[in-house]
């Protein structure tokens, strides 16, 4: 796929991603989008934030541009750069600039991980100005009316060094996410992992117990994604216990005592 | 918008931003501007510092150039750079240089966040010299008579590492800001959030209570901006409680106990 | 070997690397590969993780591209770079990009050591997108169906600073490794070190004792690789004790008291 | 103003800056200049060090080149750089090089803030060599006989990390500065702030009290500059108390209790 | 000497460096070289590690390429770089690449001091792959059969931050070094320092005493090199005591009390 | 002075720098130079190390190239760089390379301050190899027979972070310096400061007392340079006490109590 093709289509989501509304968050997101308010999605790993934003992009029929933030991501990675191409200097828009121009949803995943100079870019896009300043081109872009800034944030991770400043936080309507209800999650695991409902329900039951012991030492519970992994292994012929060990227990922790506890939980199920 | 257009008009504020004078700060700012004294705006997030400076720019009929400072902002980001354009090296003024030349108000938002080499730029512009030295061009610019340096500063944020040196602080007349009075704030929320006065007053009442518990764990109270967000969601059909949760409570904190306290405050209101 | 040749063949493993299945990990890996699930290999130094992945690459008949991660490894080292070649700018794919295009197994050894911007590359390759974005070329590559991401991770090393985030961990099916069983290990040492089975067994017996005292001050036990080194020295005519000192004791620790303990263990064997 | 003009005139001070000798420092500076000894000015913020050096530059009829040092100031910022100009590489002297060539006073304000590679430049200019080495041009410049190196230094600021090494300190004759005597300071404030002597004296009286409580929590007292700011605001029609709050109290501290103390001091005066 | 000449000859050691085998280390090294096992030399400063490797290079008739590692040494310093030469971009092999191609011994002196990205280079050269990957050229080099990787390591220096990871350590056969026996060391000092055997023996006797008090505060004892320095000074006509002070005592420590102790040791000898 | 001229003459010292031998250090240095042993000069600030090396350069009729080291000095600053000159890339030797080629004394002042990559350059120049490797040119230079490496080092400064490694220290013959004897120092001060012997003796007497109280809080005593400064001020007509305050007391410390003690010492003298 070349750049030109990429700037036209690839951000459109063509098939409806499966998502089950749990706390009216679809309605709330639609309201925020209608009022052009930036949105922050809060919640633990793998509880469905990414899936939700894909679902909303499909629903609102807007392209979605996702950027996974990390501590070496600078503002220029978001905005764009001059590149040499066949002896010519060509400006290439970064993902944020593309979103601003085309009226996409720009989803900055785990935004606190990024370099702090991203703040200077986010602020004027999240107040009544709705502008993006490309200093290197001396250009100020007025955001497309459909442009929507969405960030995600995992409260469990934050330390003193990596925290959203109040002056940034207070620019976003915030939706809080948690794992889906058992019945909903079973449906998701059955569909995505291509297993029967019974197996899915057993996996979700196990996940519930694992999430319950979270306070006893696990930093996070098992994500829905891991349940789907376990289901996929089972579908490949791996026995239930082995699949759970490889896809649920081992990824969660390196602590031997916690592994034992997790194994006990599995054994209780068989 | 191209660079040339940008250097002429976009910094002018055409419609009067709504601002209510509370402590004679409009008069004080006019006096400082008349005496060409640099000004520092102190106060918490979202209490109206940005709105105030926009209001003053409109009132004084001067362009306003705003720079959101951050820890990767260097002096050269303020002053300008040589850029390659169609095989030619072209100098592009940074935001501060543009302000100095055109006689704009240059507003450095949260200036302590910026790199320390910005100091060398700010100092000769804030004493009787009023000059900006562009080392890369070997040029020294005498500031336009209307040029005015304004910085903002949030005392609640400051740590030992990020503090304004006395030799910088003592170059600014300082105006202290706080949240507007309830009656004033209700008017602002009603106008900007496009809700009836009653709803606005309820939101402001809630904000007052939230700001009151600030000492009990919240680092900052709810800003006026968040109240306007809540009002906007209500206008989109979201019920009062849901709007307050998404726009006021969730953005302020990740602490579960504090969320409960905040929810109780809302329930008391309904 | 030039670049062109390299991109075709050198990653193929032609002769079957010797590997003994201990905990059904071969079957589990095949299932994960069939379901296109990313895999994490956990375990101590030199217990056979690298050998296992080579064995699986042979078995699955897929090329294997290995990257030893370290704290100065950036995402661009994985993705690729523009290089000047005979006055022309030529794009050279990095190891990950090559793997993604050709459908190889990409093995990131000790991935937590790498710079955090590698995360942004790993994430979209390990969820349902399976894409690699080459920002510098404005190109988004859909991974070859045979592409498989595998990472290794040594739980004994991890500190607070160097840990896999849960949002990364929970993207991998995890297989836990430990040293092989004595009988298996003896066979490996005899074959690879080209010594008789008796000598190999004595070395493995010594290793067992060394690994046993691990809790008493050694950070890691002797790896199978070191046993093969000792065997090789013996084969070169070095006496048993000297070979063990040079290949087992001295590499493990600089602590004089621990060296004495290790020497006592050897003396017990002779 | 272009570079060429700049290298001729702009550093000359044409009108005598007002300065009142307090401890024979004018005579001492003249002696040091005559003996070509480097000079260090020690003292708190805003006590008149900059004014003194401007006065001396006028008196000695030498150009004055001032550099405000900061933690991102490198030696190359002082010495100069090659720049591209109309496709040609042109060397542009830095401020120190210009001073060395033209026989100016080079004033490095708050020199400890600068990067340590500035030391290598300062040393050979402050001993019997009096040379500046421009490595990038392979040029060694013998300083003009009138060149004089002057640095300033605020002892109150220094920490272990930011201290002048003895091998640097012991290269400078040192003059210690403090706030002017009340009568002198009143004269300065009246002249520079354009207010009557009575108002000036009241401001100076207040400053005296503020400086007195310095030990009780203020890191520095109010500078003469701030008194002039207050006077300027008063001249613009701002009442005495308001002017003192904005120009004296708020700039000095963010501590609420200290603000109250400062307010009490003002109330006592009215 | 130009580059081309350098890549042919200068690494060959033509005259046999004097070395006395003490613990069968010559035999052990030959065995490791024959089995193509990487070697680590452990021991204090100046005990003869460098001399040993020079001796072995002579003995095995292989070129020796030495790199003194330091904390700013990156992998690219070892591998090579593209350089501009007469308007052409020319690749210049780094020292490691030269060794890998020509089948030299590559000696990385004090390897823990180097940047961690050197690990990625060392690993595939020290396992059964024996390959060096030059990413910038997209080239993978199979090491010459005579290539031998040797590293040195001073256990006395190591801190938590600068330690060899077990996954690196366990790739090397390790030989432990200490100062030579008195009789051997006297012979070395007499030959290299060009003094009579009696003077050499007195110096070695002194060194023995100095090394004995090492536990009482000296971080390291006097190296053989320093003994040769003292001998050289004596040969130049400097009296014994003066030569010992300048070449043995002063280099070892700055502690006044330790200097006195060292002086007493010298006085005892005269 | 252009580069070409510079590489011929400017490092030659034409007039004999005044130096009084105190501990036979001249003879010792001559012996080390004759035996081609590297030399380290240890001692406090301003005790005459630089003067000594200038004297020895004159005496041995060798050019002297001095580099003041600092924490941003990299190996490339010592070795040299490719520079653009009139569209051509020209290699410019750094100061060390010039010294190595021309057989000069290279004096690295306060070498521990420099970046650690300088070590890699110093080591092969200070053992029997006597080579300098210019990686960027692929050139290895054999040092001129007259080349002599000299470093200085102030033991009073050293911290854990900035210490010479034993593997570096043990490569240098070390000469320890202290302030000259009173009679000698008086002669120096009289000659260099151009005052009568009586005044010089009084200054030296004062310095003796100041150095005596060093243990009571001063980090270093007054250097001979400062005594010459004081003498110069006196010669310009400044009274004794004022000259001592400005040239001796103020440069030494910012501590008020220590200043009083120093003033008392002066008053005792008058």
């Amino acid at each position: 796929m070349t750049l030109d093709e990429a700037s036209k289509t690839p951000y459109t989501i063509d098939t409806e991603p499966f998502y089950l509304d749990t706390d009216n968050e679809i309605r709330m997101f639609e309201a925020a989008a209608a009022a052009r308010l930036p949105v922050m999605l809060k919640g633990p790993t793998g509880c469905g934030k990414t899936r939700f934003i894909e679902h909303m992009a499909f629903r609102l029929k807007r392209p979605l541009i996702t950027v996974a933030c990390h501590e070496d991501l600078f503002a220029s990675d978001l905005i764009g750069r001059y590149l040499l191409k066949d002896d010519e200097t060509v400006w290439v828009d970064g993902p944020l600039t593309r979103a601003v121009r085309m009226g996409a949803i720009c989803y900055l995943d785990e935004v606190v991980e990024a370099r702090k100079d991203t703040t200077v870019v986010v602020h004027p896009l999240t107040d009544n100005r709705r502008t993006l300043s490309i200093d290197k081109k001396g250009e100020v872009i007025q955001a497309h009316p459909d442009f929507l800034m969405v960030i995600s944030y995992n409260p469990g991770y934050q330390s003193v060094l990596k925290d959203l400043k109040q002056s940034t936080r207070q620019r976003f309507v915030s939706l809080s996410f948690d794992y889906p209800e058992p019945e909903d999650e079973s449906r998701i695991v059955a569909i995505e992992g291509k297993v029967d409902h019974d197996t899915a329900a057993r996996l979700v039951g196990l996940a519930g117990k694992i999430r319950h012991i979270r306070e006893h030492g696990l930093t996070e519970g098992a994500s829905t994604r891991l349940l789907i992994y376990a289901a996929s292994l089972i579908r490949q012929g791996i026995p239930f216990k082995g699949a759970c060990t490889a896809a649920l227990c081992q990824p969660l922790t390196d602590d031997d005592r916690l592994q034992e506890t997790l194994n006990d939980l599995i054994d209780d199920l068989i």
Side-chain angles (χ1 to χ4, degrees), chain A residues 113-208:
Chain A
E113 300 288 329
R115 280 284 169 151
K116 296 314 175 209
D117 66 347
T118 52
T119 311
V120 81
V121 176
V122 168
H123 279 201
L125 276 168
T126 51
D127 57 26
N128 58 321
R129 285 173 283 175
R130 284 177 63 89
T131 54
L132 173 67
S133 179
I134 306 182
D135 278 3
K136 286 196 185 127
K137 297 182 73 184
E139 186 182 349
V140 177
I141 311 176
Q142 188 65 41
H144 187 287
D146 286 350
F147 169 74
L148 190 65
M149 175 73 86
V150 182
I151 64 179
S152 82
Y153 174 81
N154 186 336
Y157 280 6
Q158 308 323 319
S159 62
V160 177
L161 280 174
K162 289 207 167 168
D163 208 357
L164 277 182
K165 291 193 295 179
Q166 285 287 335
S167 59
T168 303
R169 284 182 79 114
Q170 298 205 8
R171 289 166 175 278
F172 292 87
V173 166
S174 293
L175 305 181
S176 188
F177 286 76
D178 214 331
Y179 304 113
E181 290 299 301
E183 190 49 36
D184 294 341
E185 194 165 29
S186 298
R187 240 179 95 195
I188 297 170
V189 171
I191 291 172
E192 306 254 328
K194 292 175 192 132
V195 291
D196 60 274
H197 186 271
D198 215 52
T199 306
R202 271 171 83 204
L203 288 167
V204 169
L206 177 59

Side-chain angles (χ1 to χ4, degrees), chain A residues 19 21 24-31 52 55-56 59:
Chain A
Y19 185 81
D21 198 23
N24 224 10
E25 62 271 19
I26 292 178
R27 180 70 198 87
M28 190 72 82
F29 192 95
E30 287 175 338
F52 173 68
H55 182 81
M56 291 314 300
R59 204 173 182 107

